[in-house]
Amino acid sequence: MTASNLWLAAGLRSPFAKVDGALAAHDAIDLSVPVVKAMLEKGARPDFAVWGTVIPNLTWSNIAREVLLDAGADPTIPAFSTVMACSTSMTGVLEAAGMIDGRGRDLALVGGVEAMSRVQIGLSVRLSDWIRRFQQARDLKGRLAVLSAFKAADARLFIPKVANRTTGLSMGEHTEITAKEWGLARADQDAIAFASHQNAVRAWENGFFDDLVIPVGEARRDTIPRKDSTLEKLAKLKPAFDKTSGQGTLTAGNSSPLTDGAASVWVASEAGLARLPERTPRVKILDYEVTAIDLRNEGLLMAPAYGVPRMLARNGLTLSDIGLWEIHEAFAAQVLSHIAAWESKKFLAERAGVAADLGAFPRERMNPTGGSLALGHPFGATGARILSQATKELAARGKGEKAIVSICADGGQGTMMLLEAA
């Protein structure tokens, strides 16, 4: 299939809630099943499914298959799992788009989930090895020999944490470095966060999310957007990652919170699109970019600063040609560093390899119905959440209006998509 024959159609999601909050009793499968059930009831039988989650769990190896089976889907529907940190479910969309071929694969159900309240703690590899050797011993003498080799230092638990394996730093610690390198002011970061909450609250009050979010358990709507947020309150929060230098600017207010939630989206050919309810918002996929950078010498979350200009340049577009910008807000500082890079002729030419002047970034077109700072960030679900949100917003606009969706990811990677209203 060519890109012009590929479509996104808005999907459903659960409410998003802070870790240990309204969704804390649900594991990743529990959160996903109601979303998939609702998709199947309101949509059509998909030809295949892609689902992802970032935090590992030893209970399953292919969460996509388990979710579909528990949701009562036709067991002959193939399903596979994917993972790419915060870009997980957007990467799933790109994988699905590559498989849509008009030969029996016309409609894919894609999504992801994160149950950050239900993180499984594991044994250290050395302790796991010791237990295996003990179990494999054939007699008492062998088991005594294994017992004698036991070292107390090996009796450790592995507790997953939000830190990059290569650098040992968390995304927040990395972004503090980026904020200092780009000279990003605390007030500007707080302004991004304030706008995100305002836009999310307004969108909920105006009914924008009514046909995008379904109840899960007792949760009926997102619990994170703050109607009472003010710039003054944000300014009083203490730094969350750089607490000692006196120059830390990232706080709990301008950083996305650890979040539970699941989200979905449809990927289709024109034939697949015809199988969905007529009122389902849909947009064309025009182009995409997957970018990786050297995280040892560049900001961890800076991949979109390179990828978006390249995608714009090859389509002959400038920043102002895009009517809707849906940018993942891992941190307000990360958003601001991307904008600064896109507006810098020096960065574009010398680092991104883009000769064109892309002009000024239209901030008033960014995340008009709220971003991750206000709505939350369940790693595996964020891509599908943003894509469905962008699809609904863009589909309501005039034919030919364009949107860019951009997500940075731990590991120095990112995914971006160019969409168009049809």
mmCIF file of all heavy atoms in Angstrom, residues 93-144:
data_model
loop_
_atom_site.group_PDB
_atom_site.id
_atom_site.type_symbol
_atom_site.label_atom_id
_atom_site.label_comp_id
_atom_site.label_asym_id
_atom_site.label_seq_id
_atom_site.Cartn_x
_atom_site.Cartn_y
_atom_site.Cartn_z
ATOM 1 N N VAL A 93 1.680 1.465 15.389
ATOM 2 C CA VAL A 93 0.935 1.999 14.251
ATOM 3 C C VAL A 93 1.768 1.893 12.973
ATOM 4 O O VAL A 93 1.267 1.490 11.908
ATOM 5 C CB VAL A 93 0.523 3.456 14.507
ATOM 6 C CG1 VAL A 93 0.072 4.146 13.214
ATOM 7 C CG2 VAL A 93 -0.598 3.506 15.544
ATOM 8 N N LEU A 94 3.043 2.248 13.069
ATOM 9 C CA LEU A 94 3.904 2.170 11.892
ATOM 10 C C LEU A 94 4.097 0.726 11.441
ATOM 11 O O LEU A 94 4.128 0.438 10.236
ATOM 12 C CB LEU A 94 5.255 2.823 12.189
ATOM 13 C CG LEU A 94 5.211 4.312 12.553
ATOM 14 C CD1 LEU A 94 6.618 4.830 12.826
ATOM 15 C CD2 LEU A 94 4.551 5.120 11.451
ATOM 16 N N GLU A 95 4.225 -0.185 12.400
ATOM 17 C CA GLU A 95 4.331 -1.599 12.051
ATOM 18 C C GLU A 95 3.061 -2.083 11.354
ATOM 19 O O GLU A 95 3.117 -2.795 10.336
ATOM 20 C CB GLU A 95 4.594 -2.426 13.310
ATOM 21 C CG GLU A 95 5.962 -2.206 13.911
ATOM 22 C CD GLU A 95 6.136 -2.886 15.249
ATOM 23 O OE1 GLU A 95 5.192 -2.836 16.068
ATOM 24 O OE2 GLU A 95 7.218 -3.465 15.475
ATOM 25 N N ALA A 96 1.919 -1.685 11.895
ATOM 26 C CA ALA A 96 0.651 -2.088 11.295
ATOM 27 C C ALA A 96 0.498 -1.504 9.895
ATOM 28 O O ALA A 96 0.056 -2.191 8.963
ATOM 29 C CB ALA A 96 -0.513 -1.649 12.183
ATOM 30 N N ALA A 97 0.869 -0.240 9.733
ATOM 31 C CA ALA A 97 0.760 0.403 8.423
ATOM 32 C C ALA A 97 1.590 -0.336 7.382
ATOM 33 O O ALA A 97 1.183 -0.461 6.221
ATOM 34 C CB ALA A 97 1.200 1.865 8.520
ATOM 35 N N GLY A 98 2.748 -0.843 7.811
ATOM 36 C CA GLY A 98 3.594 -1.586 6.889
ATOM 37 C C GLY A 98 3.017 -2.934 6.495
ATOM 38 O O GLY A 98 3.423 -3.515 5.475
ATOM 39 N N MET A 99 2.073 -3.436 7.284
ATOM 40 C CA MET A 99 1.471 -4.740 7.002
ATOM 41 C C MET A 99 0.150 -4.634 6.253
ATOM 42 O O MET A 99 -0.338 -5.621 5.696
ATOM 43 C CB MET A 99 1.254 -5.495 8.310
ATOM 44 C CG MET A 99 2.543 -5.906 9.008
ATOM 45 S SD MET A 99 2.258 -6.654 10.641
ATOM 46 C CE MET A 99 1.371 -8.155 10.187
ATOM 47 N N ILE A 100 -0.468 -3.451 6.250
ATOM 48 C CA ILE A 100 -1.714 -3.265 5.504
ATOM 49 C C ILE A 100 -1.398 -3.409 4.011
ATOM 50 O O ILE A 100 -0.579 -2.663 3.467
ATOM 51 C CB ILE A 100 -2.316 -1.874 5.777
ATOM 52 C CG1 ILE A 100 -2.667 -1.707 7.261
ATOM 53 C CG2 ILE A 100 -3.515 -1.620 4.882
ATOM 54 C CD1 ILE A 100 -3.843 -2.503 7.729
ATOM 55 N N ASP A 101 -2.035 -4.370 3.352
ATOM 56 C CA ASP A 101 -1.658 -4.659 1.964
ATOM 57 C C ASP A 101 -2.829 -4.826 1.009
ATOM 58 O O ASP A 101 -2.649 -5.074 -0.191
ATOM 59 C CB ASP A 101 -0.799 -5.923 1.900
ATOM 60 C CG ASP A 101 -1.495 -7.149 2.477
ATOM 61 O OD1 ASP A 101 -2.691 -7.060 2.784
ATOM 62 O OD2 ASP A 101 -0.833 -8.192 2.625
ATOM 63 N N GLY A 102 -4.075 -4.727 1.492
ATOM 64 C CA GLY A 102 -5.217 -4.887 0.617
ATOM 65 C C GLY A 102 -5.456 -6.309 0.155
ATOM 66 O O GLY A 102 -6.267 -6.560 -0.735
ATOM 67 N N ARG A 103 -4.766 -7.249 0.777
ATOM 68 C CA ARG A 103 -4.921 -8.664 0.406
ATOM 69 C C ARG A 103 -5.326 -9.473 1.638
ATOM 70 O O ARG A 103 -4.751 -10.509 1.938
ATOM 71 C CB ARG A 103 -3.620 -9.210 -0.170
ATOM 72 C CG ARG A 103 -3.156 -8.518 -1.443
ATOM 73 C CD ARG A 103 -1.842 -9.079 -1.927
ATOM 74 N NE ARG A 103 -0.801 -8.893 -0.924
ATOM 75 C CZ ARG A 103 0.426 -9.447 -1.026
ATOM 76 N NH1 ARG A 103 0.711 -10.237 -2.033
ATOM 77 N NH2 ARG A 103 1.325 -9.220 -0.080
ATOM 78 N N GLY A 104 -6.314 -8.965 2.334
ATOM 79 C CA GLY A 104 -6.748 -9.634 3.550
ATOM 80 C C GLY A 104 -6.251 -8.965 4.807
ATOM 81 O O GLY A 104 -6.614 -9.365 5.915
ATOM 82 N N ARG A 105 -5.410 -7.969 4.646
ATOM 83 C CA ARG A 105 -4.952 -7.165 5.781
ATOM 84 C C ARG A 105 -5.296 -5.709 5.486
ATOM 85 O O ARG A 105 -4.532 -4.996 4.853
ATOM 86 C CB ARG A 105 -3.450 -7.351 6.022
ATOM 87 C CG ARG A 105 -3.080 -8.695 6.617
ATOM 88 C CD ARG A 105 -1.615 -8.739 7.049
ATOM 89 N NE ARG A 105 -0.722 -8.688 5.899
ATOM 90 C CZ ARG A 105 -0.219 -9.753 5.286
ATOM 91 N NH1 ARG A 105 -0.536 -10.965 5.704
ATOM 92 N NH2 ARG A 105 0.594 -9.627 4.250
ATOM 93 N N ASP A 106 -6.488 -5.304 5.937
ATOM 94 C CA ASP A 106 -6.987 -3.963 5.662
ATOM 95 C C ASP A 106 -7.286 -3.158 6.917
ATOM 96 O O ASP A 106 -7.450 -1.947 6.832
ATOM 97 C CB ASP A 106 -8.265 -4.046 4.821
ATOM 98 C CG ASP A 106 -7.985 -4.445 3.389
ATOM 99 O OD1 ASP A 106 -7.366 -3.645 2.670
ATOM 100 O OD2 ASP A 106 -8.381 -5.562 3.002
ATOM 101 N N LEU A 107 -7.387 -3.819 8.057
ATOM 102 C CA LEU A 107 -7.772 -3.122 9.281
ATOM 103 C C LEU A 107 -7.001 -3.708 10.462
ATOM 104 O O LEU A 107 -7.035 -4.913 10.693
ATOM 105 C CB LEU A 107 -9.271 -3.265 9.519
ATOM 106 C CG LEU A 107 -9.855 -2.542 10.740
ATOM 107 C CD1 LEU A 107 -9.728 -1.027 10.583
ATOM 108 C CD2 LEU A 107 -11.306 -2.936 10.954
ATOM 109 N N ALA A 108 -6.316 -2.834 11.192
ATOM 110 C CA ALA A 108 -5.535 -3.263 12.352
ATOM 111 C C ALA A 108 -5.973 -2.506 13.594
ATOM 112 O O ALA A 108 -6.225 -1.296 13.547
ATOM 113 C CB ALA A 108 -4.041 -3.034 12.119
ATOM 114 N N LEU A 109 -6.086 -3.213 14.686
ATOM 115 C CA LEU A 109 -6.339 -2.618 15.993
ATOM 116 C C LEU A 109 -4.991 -2.483 16.690
ATOM 117 O O LEU A 109 -4.292 -3.473 16.891
ATOM 118 C CB LEU A 109 -7.281 -3.503 16.801
ATOM 119 C CG LEU A 109 -7.910 -2.926 18.077
ATOM 120 C CD1 LEU A 109 -9.075 -3.795 18.517
ATOM 121 C CD2 LEU A 109 -6.916 -2.801 19.215
ATOM 122 N N VAL A 110 -4.630 -1.254 17.032
ATOM 123 C CA VAL A 110 -3.307 -0.979 17.601
ATOM 124 C C VAL A 110 -3.468 -0.223 18.915
ATOM 125 O O VAL A 110 -4.386 0.593 19.064
ATOM 126 C CB VAL A 110 -2.445 -0.149 16.625
ATOM 127 C CG1 VAL A 110 -1.054 0.105 17.203
ATOM 128 C CG2 VAL A 110 -2.341 -0.849 15.268
ATOM 129 N N GLY A 111 -2.591 -0.475 19.856
ATOM 130 C CA GLY A 111 -2.655 0.277 21.103
ATOM 131 C C GLY A 111 -1.579 -0.138 22.075
ATOM 132 O O GLY A 111 -0.613 -0.832 21.729
ATOM 133 N N GLY A 112 -1.754 0.298 23.295
ATOM 134 C CA GLY A 112 -0.772 -0.016 24.317
ATOM 135 C C GLY A 112 -1.277 0.341 25.694
ATOM 136 O O GLY A 112 -2.356 0.934 25.861
ATOM 137 N N VAL A 113 -0.485 0.001 26.683
ATOM 138 C CA VAL A 113 -0.935 0.116 28.063
ATOM 139 C C VAL A 113 0.265 0.251 28.980
ATOM 140 O O VAL A 113 1.374 -0.182 28.640
ATOM 141 C CB VAL A 113 -1.758 -1.137 28.460
ATOM 142 C CG1 VAL A 113 -0.912 -2.398 28.364
ATOM 143 C CG2 VAL A 113 -2.363 -1.001 29.849
ATOM 144 N N GLU A 114 0.049 0.837 30.118
ATOM 145 C CA GLU A 114 1.036 0.789 31.198
ATOM 146 C C GLU A 114 0.295 0.750 32.525
ATOM 147 O O GLU A 114 -0.596 1.575 32.776
ATOM 148 C CB GLU A 114 1.968 1.999 31.150
ATOM 149 C CG GLU A 114 3.397 1.675 31.508
ATOM 150 C CD GLU A 114 4.034 0.727 30.495
ATOM 151 O OE1 GLU A 114 4.116 1.055 29.307
ATOM 152 O OE2 GLU A 114 4.455 -0.376 30.926
ATOM 153 N N ALA A 115 0.634 -0.238 33.334
ATOM 154 C CA ALA A 115 0.091 -0.339 34.688
ATOM 155 C C ALA A 115 1.246 -0.077 35.646
ATOM 156 O O ALA A 115 1.840 -0.996 36.209
ATOM 157 C CB ALA A 115 -0.517 -1.716 34.925
ATOM 158 N N MET A 116 1.550 1.176 35.852
ATOM 159 C CA MET A 116 2.733 1.540 36.625
ATOM 160 C C MET A 116 2.524 1.338 38.119
ATOM 161 O O MET A 116 3.482 1.374 38.890
ATOM 162 C CB MET A 116 3.137 2.971 36.302
ATOM 163 C CG MET A 116 3.387 3.171 34.818
ATOM 164 S SD MET A 116 4.160 4.734 34.376
ATOM 165 C CE MET A 116 5.863 4.396 34.787
ATOM 166 N N SER A 117 1.281 1.101 38.517
ATOM 167 C CA SER A 117 1.007 0.771 39.917
ATOM 168 C C SER A 117 1.242 -0.706 40.202
ATOM 169 O O SER A 117 1.189 -1.124 41.363
ATOM 170 C CB SER A 117 -0.446 1.125 40.264
ATOM 171 O OG SER A 117 -0.700 2.493 40.095
ATOM 172 N N ARG A 118 1.432 -1.513 39.152
ATOM 173 C CA ARG A 118 1.550 -2.960 39.314
ATOM 174 C C ARG A 118 2.858 -3.459 38.709
ATOM 175 O O ARG A 118 2.880 -4.352 37.873
ATOM 176 C CB ARG A 118 0.365 -3.662 38.649
ATOM 177 C CG ARG A 118 -1.000 -3.258 39.172
ATOM 178 C CD ARG A 118 -1.215 -3.666 40.613
ATOM 179 N NE ARG A 118 -1.186 -5.118 40.775
ATOM 180 C CZ ARG A 118 -2.229 -5.922 40.563
ATOM 181 N NH1 ARG A 118 -3.382 -5.413 40.139
ATOM 182 N NH2 ARG A 118 -2.125 -7.218 40.766
ATOM 183 N N VAL A 119 3.966 -2.849 39.110
ATOM 184 C CA VAL A 119 5.286 -3.233 38.595
ATOM 185 C C VAL A 119 5.764 -4.497 39.287
ATOM 186 O O VAL A 119 5.805 -4.569 40.518
ATOM 187 C CB VAL A 119 6.301 -2.091 38.800
ATOM 188 C CG1 VAL A 119 7.686 -2.522 38.370
ATOM 189 C CG2 VAL A 119 5.858 -0.849 38.024
ATOM 190 N N GLN A 120 6.135 -5.499 38.504
ATOM 191 C CA GLN A 120 6.592 -6.766 39.068
ATOM 192 C C GLN A 120 8.068 -6.672 39.466
ATOM 193 O O GLN A 120 8.912 -6.254 38.688
ATOM 194 C CB GLN A 120 6.406 -7.894 38.052
ATOM 195 C CG GLN A 120 6.740 -9.271 38.618
ATOM 196 C CD GLN A 120 6.477 -10.374 37.606
ATOM 197 O OE1 GLN A 120 6.619 -10.168 36.404
ATOM 198 N NE2 GLN A 120 6.099 -11.537 38.080
ATOM 199 N N ILE A 121 8.353 -7.057 40.692
ATOM 200 C CA ILE A 121 9.729 -7.091 41.181
ATOM 201 C C ILE A 121 10.312 -8.475 40.897
ATOM 202 O O ILE A 121 9.660 -9.491 41.112
ATOM 203 C CB ILE A 121 9.782 -6.781 42.685
ATOM 204 C CG1 ILE A 121 9.291 -5.343 42.934
ATOM 205 C CG2 ILE A 121 11.190 -6.971 43.232
ATOM 206 C CD1 ILE A 121 9.157 -4.999 44.400
ATOM 207 N N GLY A 122 11.545 -8.520 40.399
ATOM 208 C CA GLY A 122 12.165 -9.785 40.031
ATOM 209 C C GLY A 122 13.395 -10.095 40.864
ATOM 210 O O GLY A 122 13.883 -9.276 41.654
ATOM 211 N N LEU A 123 13.904 -11.305 40.710
ATOM 212 C CA LEU A 123 15.142 -11.712 41.368
ATOM 213 C C LEU A 123 16.333 -11.256 40.539
ATOM 214 O O LEU A 123 16.244 -11.130 39.324
ATOM 215 C CB LEU A 123 15.173 -13.237 41.526
ATOM 216 C CG LEU A 123 14.005 -13.897 42.248
ATOM 217 C CD1 LEU A 123 14.205 -15.404 42.271
ATOM 218 C CD2 LEU A 123 13.861 -13.356 43.653
ATOM 219 N N SER A 124 17.457 -11.040 41.187
ATOM 220 C CA SER A 124 18.670 -10.756 40.437
ATOM 221 C C SER A 124 19.012 -11.968 39.582
ATOM 222 O O SER A 124 18.609 -13.106 39.874
ATOM 223 C CB SER A 124 19.828 -10.440 41.385
ATOM 224 O OG SER A 124 20.196 -11.610 42.104
ATOM 225 N N VAL A 125 19.746 -11.754 38.515
ATOM 226 C CA VAL A 125 20.120 -12.861 37.629
ATOM 227 C C VAL A 125 20.941 -13.901 38.382
ATOM 228 O O VAL A 125 20.743 -15.110 38.210
ATOM 229 C CB VAL A 125 20.896 -12.328 36.408
ATOM 230 C CG1 VAL A 125 21.416 -13.497 35.558
ATOM 231 C CG2 VAL A 125 20.006 -11.418 35.570
ATOM 232 N N ARG A 126 21.838 -13.457 39.240
ATOM 233 C CA ARG A 126 22.665 -14.430 39.982
ATOM 234 C C ARG A 126 21.834 -15.269 40.937
ATOM 235 O O ARG A 126 22.063 -16.475 41.078
ATOM 236 C CB ARG A 126 23.768 -13.687 40.743
ATOM 237 C CG ARG A 126 24.861 -13.122 39.837
ATOM 238 C CD ARG A 126 25.987 -12.522 40.656
ATOM 239 N NE ARG A 126 27.061 -12.042 39.807
ATOM 240 C CZ ARG A 126 28.183 -11.497 40.272
ATOM 241 N NH1 ARG A 126 28.361 -11.355 41.597
ATOM 242 N NH2 ARG A 126 29.108 -11.085 39.434
ATOM 243 N N LEU A 127 20.836 -14.650 41.587
ATOM 244 C CA LEU A 127 19.982 -15.423 42.478
ATOM 245 C C LEU A 127 19.107 -16.386 41.673
ATOM 246 O O LEU A 127 18.887 -17.534 42.084
ATOM 247 C CB LEU A 127 19.102 -14.479 43.301
ATOM 248 C CG LEU A 127 18.175 -15.138 44.332
ATOM 249 C CD1 LEU A 127 18.979 -16.028 45.290
ATOM 250 C CD2 LEU A 127 17.394 -14.087 45.104
ATOM 251 N N SER A 128 18.639 -15.936 40.507
ATOM 252 C CA SER A 128 17.865 -16.820 39.633
ATOM 253 C C SER A 128 18.706 -18.007 39.182
ATOM 254 O O SER A 128 18.237 -19.154 39.164
ATOM 255 C CB SER A 128 17.360 -16.039 38.413
ATOM 256 O OG SER A 128 16.478 -15.012 38.793
ATOM 257 N N ASP A 129 19.964 -17.744 38.832
ATOM 258 C CA ASP A 129 20.866 -18.833 38.418
ATOM 259 C C ASP A 129 21.071 -19.832 39.563
ATOM 260 O O ASP A 129 21.071 -21.052 39.349
ATOM 261 C CB ASP A 129 22.222 -18.263 37.990
ATOM 262 C CG ASP A 129 22.146 -17.505 36.673
ATOM 263 O OD1 ASP A 129 21.158 -17.704 35.944
ATOM 264 O OD2 ASP A 129 23.070 -16.728 36.387
ATOM 265 N N TRP A 130 21.235 -19.299 40.767
ATOM 266 C CA TRP A 130 21.470 -20.176 41.927
ATOM 267 C C TRP A 130 20.242 -21.065 42.176
ATOM 268 O O TRP A 130 20.372 -22.259 42.444
ATOM 269 C CB TRP A 130 21.781 -19.321 43.160
ATOM 270 C CG TRP A 130 22.050 -20.140 44.390
ATOM 271 C CD1 TRP A 130 23.244 -20.673 44.793
ATOM 272 C CD2 TRP A 130 21.081 -20.546 45.371
ATOM 273 N NE1 TRP A 130 23.088 -21.383 45.961
ATOM 274 C CE2 TRP A 130 21.772 -21.328 46.331
ATOM 275 C CE3 TRP A 130 19.721 -20.335 45.527
ATOM 276 C CZ2 TRP A 130 21.139 -21.882 47.435
ATOM 277 C CZ3 TRP A 130 19.076 -20.891 46.628
ATOM 278 C CH2 TRP A 130 19.785 -21.653 47.560
ATOM 279 N N ILE A 131 19.048 -20.488 42.083
ATOM 280 C CA ILE A 131 17.826 -21.272 42.297
ATOM 281 C C ILE A 131 17.711 -22.367 41.237
ATOM 282 O O ILE A 131 17.332 -23.510 41.542
ATOM 283 C CB ILE A 131 16.598 -20.346 42.279
ATOM 284 C CG1 ILE A 131 16.607 -19.442 43.519
ATOM 285 C CG2 ILE A 131 15.304 -21.166 42.238
ATOM 286 C CD1 ILE A 131 15.531 -18.383 43.519
ATOM 287 N N ARG A 132 18.040 -22.041 40.005
ATOM 288 C CA ARG A 132 17.978 -23.051 38.941
ATOM 289 C C ARG A 132 18.955 -24.192 39.216
ATOM 290 O O ARG A 132 18.623 -25.373 39.042
ATOM 291 C CB ARG A 132 18.294 -22.420 37.587
ATOM 292 C CG ARG A 132 17.169 -21.567 37.027
ATOM 293 C CD ARG A 132 17.520 -20.992 35.667
ATOM 294 N NE ARG A 132 17.762 -22.035 34.697
ATOM 295 C CZ ARG A 132 18.941 -22.288 34.142
ATOM 296 N NH1 ARG A 132 20.010 -21.595 34.505
ATOM 297 N NH2 ARG A 132 19.073 -23.238 33.247
ATOM 298 N N ARG A 133 20.167 -23.855 39.639
ATOM 299 C CA ARG A 133 21.151 -24.911 39.945
ATOM 300 C C ARG A 133 20.674 -25.780 41.104
ATOM 301 O O ARG A 133 20.879 -27.014 41.103
ATOM 302 C CB ARG A 133 22.520 -24.286 40.267
ATOM 303 C CG ARG A 133 23.221 -23.676 39.055
ATOM 304 C CD ARG A 133 24.686 -23.399 39.343
ATOM 305 N NE ARG A 133 24.850 -22.456 40.439
ATOM 306 C CZ ARG A 133 24.920 -21.137 40.283
ATOM 307 N NH1 ARG A 133 24.800 -20.607 39.060
ATOM 308 N NH2 ARG A 133 25.076 -20.338 41.304
ATOM 309 N N PHE A 134 20.042 -25.145 42.101
ATOM 310 C CA PHE A 134 19.534 -25.909 43.242
ATOM 311 C C PHE A 134 18.439 -26.885 42.791
ATOM 312 O O PHE A 134 18.399 -28.047 43.213
ATOM 313 C CB PHE A 134 18.981 -24.941 44.301
ATOM 314 C CG PHE A 134 18.559 -25.620 45.579
ATOM 315 C CD1 PHE A 134 19.480 -25.957 46.556
ATOM 316 C CD2 PHE A 134 17.221 -25.934 45.788
ATOM 317 C CE1 PHE A 134 19.082 -26.586 47.725
ATOM 318 C CE2 PHE A 134 16.804 -26.560 46.946
ATOM 319 C CZ PHE A 134 17.747 -26.893 47.922
ATOM 320 N N GLN A 135 17.558 -26.407 41.920
ATOM 321 C CA GLN A 135 16.484 -27.265 41.433
ATOM 322 C C GLN A 135 17.007 -28.396 40.555
ATOM 323 O O GLN A 135 16.432 -29.490 40.519
ATOM 324 C CB GLN A 135 15.463 -26.433 40.637
ATOM 325 C CG GLN A 135 14.639 -25.483 41.495
ATOM 326 C CD GLN A 135 13.715 -24.616 40.662
ATOM 327 O OE1 GLN A 135 14.027 -24.277 39.522
ATOM 328 N NE2 GLN A 135 12.572 -24.259 41.238
ATOM 329 N N GLN A 136 18.099 -28.150 39.869
ATOM 330 C CA GLN A 136 18.649 -29.146 38.948
ATOM 331 C C GLN A 136 19.498 -30.206 39.652
ATOM 332 O O GLN A 136 19.785 -31.258 39.060
ATOM 333 C CB GLN A 136 19.486 -28.451 37.863
ATOM 334 C CG GLN A 136 18.654 -27.613 36.898
ATOM 335 C CD GLN A 136 19.501 -26.698 36.031
ATOM 336 O OE1 GLN A 136 20.716 -26.583 36.237
ATOM 337 N NE2 GLN A 136 18.863 -26.031 35.071
ATOM 338 N N ALA A 137 19.882 -29.909 40.905
ATOM 339 C CA ALA A 137 20.685 -30.903 41.653
ATOM 340 C C ALA A 137 19.879 -32.195 41.815
ATOM 341 O O ALA A 137 18.702 -32.165 42.180
ATOM 342 C CB ALA A 137 21.075 -30.330 43.009
ATOM 343 N N ARG A 138 20.537 -33.350 41.569
ATOM 344 C CA ARG A 138 19.811 -34.618 41.516
ATOM 345 C C ARG A 138 19.700 -35.330 42.865
ATOM 346 O O ARG A 138 18.907 -36.249 43.028
ATOM 347 C CB ARG A 138 20.499 -35.553 40.511
ATOM 348 C CG ARG A 138 20.456 -35.015 39.090
ATOM 349 C CD ARG A 138 21.054 -36.001 38.123
ATOM 350 N NE ARG A 138 20.956 -35.519 36.746
ATOM 351 C CZ ARG A 138 21.388 -36.192 35.691
ATOM 352 N NH1 ARG A 138 21.951 -37.399 35.853
ATOM 353 N NH2 ARG A 138 21.262 -35.692 34.481
ATOM 354 N N ASP A 139 20.509 -34.933 43.829
ATOM 355 C CA ASP A 139 20.459 -35.620 45.115
ATOM 356 C C ASP A 139 20.800 -34.639 46.223
ATOM 357 O O ASP A 139 21.100 -33.462 45.976
ATOM 358 C CB ASP A 139 21.423 -36.821 45.123
ATOM 359 C CG ASP A 139 22.828 -36.446 44.685
ATOM 360 O OD1 ASP A 139 23.261 -35.288 44.929
ATOM 361 O OD2 ASP A 139 23.524 -37.296 44.100
ATOM 362 N N LEU A 140 20.764 -35.140 47.458
ATOM 363 C CA LEU A 140 21.026 -34.290 48.624
ATOM 364 C C LEU A 140 22.432 -33.723 48.592
ATOM 365 O O LEU A 140 22.650 -32.555 48.925
ATOM 366 C CB LEU A 140 20.803 -35.093 49.912
ATOM 367 C CG LEU A 140 21.057 -34.338 51.223
ATOM 368 C CD1 LEU A 140 20.148 -33.119 51.329
ATOM 369 C CD2 LEU A 140 20.869 -35.269 52.412
ATOM 370 N N LYS A 141 23.401 -34.550 48.171
ATOM 371 C CA LYS A 141 24.790 -34.093 48.126
ATOM 372 C C LYS A 141 24.932 -32.910 47.165
ATOM 373 O O LYS A 141 25.614 -31.927 47.464
ATOM 374 C CB LYS A 141 25.689 -35.240 47.683
ATOM 375 C CG LYS A 141 27.162 -34.868 47.625
ATOM 376 C CD LYS A 141 28.018 -36.061 47.207
ATOM 377 C CE LYS A 141 29.490 -35.668 47.134
ATOM 378 N NZ LYS A 141 30.344 -36.813 46.693
ATOM 379 N N GLY A 142 24.272 -33.032 46.012
ATOM 380 C CA GLY A 142 24.345 -31.953 45.032
ATOM 381 C C GLY A 142 23.713 -30.673 45.549
ATOM 382 O O GLY A 142 24.232 -29.581 45.338
ATOM 383 N N ARG A 143 22.577 -30.810 46.242
ATOM 384 C CA ARG A 143 21.917 -29.623 46.767
ATOM 385 C C ARG A 143 22.722 -28.961 47.880
ATOM 386 O O ARG A 143 22.764 -27.733 47.985
ATOM 387 C CB ARG A 143 20.522 -29.992 47.269
ATOM 388 C CG ARG A 143 19.576 -30.366 46.133
ATOM 389 C CD ARG A 143 18.156 -30.533 46.591
ATOM 390 N NE ARG A 143 17.269 -30.767 45.448
ATOM 391 C CZ ARG A 143 15.967 -30.873 45.515
ATOM 392 N NH1 ARG A 143 15.368 -30.782 46.710
ATOM 393 N NH2 ARG A 143 15.241 -31.094 44.431
ATOM 394 N N LEU A 144 23.385 -29.793 48.684
ATOM 395 C CA LEU A 144 24.246 -29.228 49.732
ATOM 396 C C LEU A 144 25.417 -28.466 49.118
ATOM 397 O O LEU A 144 25.830 -27.414 49.635
ATOM 398 C CB LEU A 144 24.747 -30.343 50.650
ATOM 399 C CG LEU A 144 23.694 -30.957 51.572
ATOM 400 C CD1 LEU A 144 24.276 -32.161 52.314
ATOM 401 C CD2 LEU A 144 23.166 -29.923 52.563
#
